[in-house]
Amino acid sequence: MTHIMPHIALPDGMPGIRGAMAFRPETAKPLNELVEVLLCGPHSLTPGERELIATYVSSLNDCHYCRSIHGAIAAAHLNGDEDLVKRVKADFQHAAISDKLKALLIVAAKVQKGGKNVTAEDIAHARGKGATDLEIHDTVLIAAAFCMYNRYVDGLGTTQPHDEALYRERGKKVAREGYISVSKTYLPAEAAAH
Amino acid sequence: MAHVALPEGLPGISGGFAFRPETAKPMRELAHILLHEPGSLTPGERELIATYVSSQNDCYFCQTSHGAAAAAHLGGDESVKQVKTDFQTAPVTPKLKALLAIAGKVQRGGKNVTAEDVAHARSLGATDLEIHDTVLIAAAFSMYNRYVDGLGTWQPEDQTMYATMGKHLAEHGYLKPSH
């Protein structure tokens, strides 16, 4: 891959969103807190399921860094099943996931294109498969939030390595420790939140 | 009817925030830092970026409430209207026009931003921090707008309500509910 310079002077050696967060620790704090609640907090959807939603939306937005790292975190939560992650990205209707998650991925894809695309029928369908209001809310917000994270990462022209092993190792670490905890390695203490 | 059972009587994003306080907290804090805290771009200029992106995303609640906040900061809504219809002719600085061009690219997708767009903004005096925050404001409103519309929130058309909300936001920022 051609190395492309970031659009602004981001710290060296920190790929993707990490360079941007280190550049602006003040905004990194709420960005990390939001992703922590959405993807790691206690929930009726497993962390693996929520990471699959994040991975799928990042894939639709064609953000290499986000779909690779969240795909790796999803796989780490799902017993290392990288094939399942690939299947969700390519054709989730034929992936070995629950019907409820398939219905939520439909909602997520509508949000990715624009919030108004979500219909009462999409919601009724998800509810028919057992989705709760909180699960629907969080699916909409995960999809919306990754439309932000993806644009942030690509819009600054961050460096995005193409080394799968790097994402795999990082994915295991984030799955184990969570976003706020790993952010302490690249943010000043006061920005690494509570 | 909203798609999920949001608390009654709270317009737009306030309904989503009241439904899920755990996610509301960082979302409020992010908006507060990006739009309200001191910066080299004035709060009015930053609200114009938020309004423009929300307008491009066709989110009625966000473009109206942030348009009202921008108008409250700027002492009138003339530049708000013109930024939404054609920012190149709006009474704003050439630097802000260059940043709005970047914001418009981010709204369509981050990869659309080119080295030329950034060099142009820099030649008109934009700093790295201003470029960073412009990209993040545009990205963040690509989230807020989808959240507000994707939940099917209640978006009243009462202009008096938005004017009151805009004044409150301009004065107090985003950390606490304005209702």
Side-chain angles (χ1 to χ4, degrees):
Chain A
M1 278 303 285
T2 325
H3 177 74
I4 299 164
M5 283 286 290
H7 291 313
I8 60 173
L10 301 177
D12 280 333
M14 292 192 214
I17 202 163
R18 275 188 276 159
M21 286 189 169
F23 177 86
R24 185 82 154 105
E26 300 84 353
T27 47
K29 178 177 173 286
L31 289 171
N32 272 310
E33 286 176 356
L34 180 61
V35 77
E36 178 95 3
V37 174
L38 285 173
L39 302 182
C40 305
H43 210 280
S44 52
L45 295 172
T46 67
E49 288 176 313
R50 286 175 279 157
E51 289 287 352
L52 284 176
I53 298 171
T55 304
Y56 177 61
V57 171
S58 301
S59 176
L60 292 176
N61 281 325
D62 194 28
C63 181
H64 177 75
Y65 179 83
C66 295
R67 74 171 173 235
S68 302
I69 186 61
H70 290 281
I73 299 165
H77 282 301
L78 300 163
N79 303 312
D81 193 347
E82 295 180 3
D83 286 340
L84 178 63
V85 176
K86 281 186 190 142
R87 181 55 74 92
V88 166
K89 285 197 275 189
D91 177 13
F92 70 79
Q93 289 293 0
H94 294 97
I97 55 174
S98 70
D99 288 346
K100 180 172 82 177
L101 185 55
K102 288 178 187 176
L104 292 173
L105 286 168
I106 292 171
V107 172
K110 296 282 188 89
V111 172
Q112 184 267 338
K113 290 197 279 289
K116 286 188 180 63
N117 295 297
V118 180
T119 64
E121 290 70 35
D122 297 326
I123 302 298
H125 176 64
R127 238 181 231 125
K129 302 292 180 191
T132 65
D133 272 17
L134 183 64
E135 289 168 350
I136 293 165
H137 171 279
D138 281 16
T139 296
V140 169
L141 187 49
I142 291 169
F146 277 82
C147 287
M148 168 179 66
Y149 295 120
N150 298 164
R151 280 170 173 75
Y152 185 42
V153 165
D154 279 336
L156 289 176
T158 61
T159 53
Q160 304 186 28
H162 281 250
D163 173 359
E164 278 195 43
L166 186 150
Y167 291 106
R168 189 176 293 125
E169 284 318 300
R170 185 81 188 169
K172 285 181 195 161
K173 185 176 168 64
V174 176
R176 205 167 50 233
E177 299 175 20
Y179 293 92
I180 289 176
S181 172
V182 300
S183 76
K184 289 175 182 155
T185 60
Y186 61 90
L187 294 180
E190 67 271 19
H194 341 289
Chain B
M1 274 284 289
H3 291 316
V4 300
L6 302 177
E8 301 252 341
L10 296 175
I13 205 161
S14 331
F17 281 173
F19 179 84
R20 186 82 155 105
E22 301 85 352
T23 47
K25 182 178 171 290
M27 291 174 80
R28 287 186 174 285
E29 196 173 314
L30 181 64
H32 192 78
I33 295 167
L34 287 172
L35 302 179
H36 194 76
E37 285 191 350
S40 53
L41 294 172
T42 67
E45 287 177 313
R46 287 176 275 153
E47 290 286 0
L48 284 176
I49 298 171
T51 304
Y52 174 64
V53 171
S54 302
S55 165
Q56 292 290 302
N57 280 325
D58 193 29
C59 181
Y60 182 79
F61 177 81
C62 296
Q63 70 178 276
T64 312
S65 54
H66 290 281
H73 282 299
L74 299 166
D77 68 353
E78 190 201 352
S79 55
V80 176
K81 283 183 182 153
Q82 265 181 268
V83 160
K84 288 204 277 185
T85 50
D86 177 11
F87 68 77
Q88 292 294 357
T89 63
V92 298
T93 65
K95 179 173 84 175
L96 186 57
K97 288 179 189 177
L99 293 173
L100 286 165
I102 291 173
K105 297 279 188 92
V106 172
Q107 182 267 336
R108 292 194 289 284
K111 286 187 180 62
N112 295 301
V113 180
T114 65
E116 290 70 34
D117 297 325
V118 175
H120 178 61
R122 220 173 250 133
S123 75
L124 295 169
T127 64
D128 273 16
L129 182 60
E130 290 168 349
I131 294 164
H132 169 280
D133 281 14
T134 297
V135 169
L136 187 49
I137 290 169
F141 278 82
S142 296
M143 167 179 68
Y144 296 122
N145 298 164
R146 280 172 172 78
Y147 183 49
V148 165
D149 281 335
L151 289 177
T153 61
W154 175 53
Q155 302 185 33
E157 294 184 11
D158 172 4
Q159 299 308 308
T160 315
M161 182 203 82
Y162 289 105
T164 306
M165 192 186 295
K167 280 190 196 112
H168 188 277
L169 293 172
E171 194 174 337
H172 300 286
Y174 292 89
L175 294 180
K176 296 227 165 64
S178 55
H179 294 263

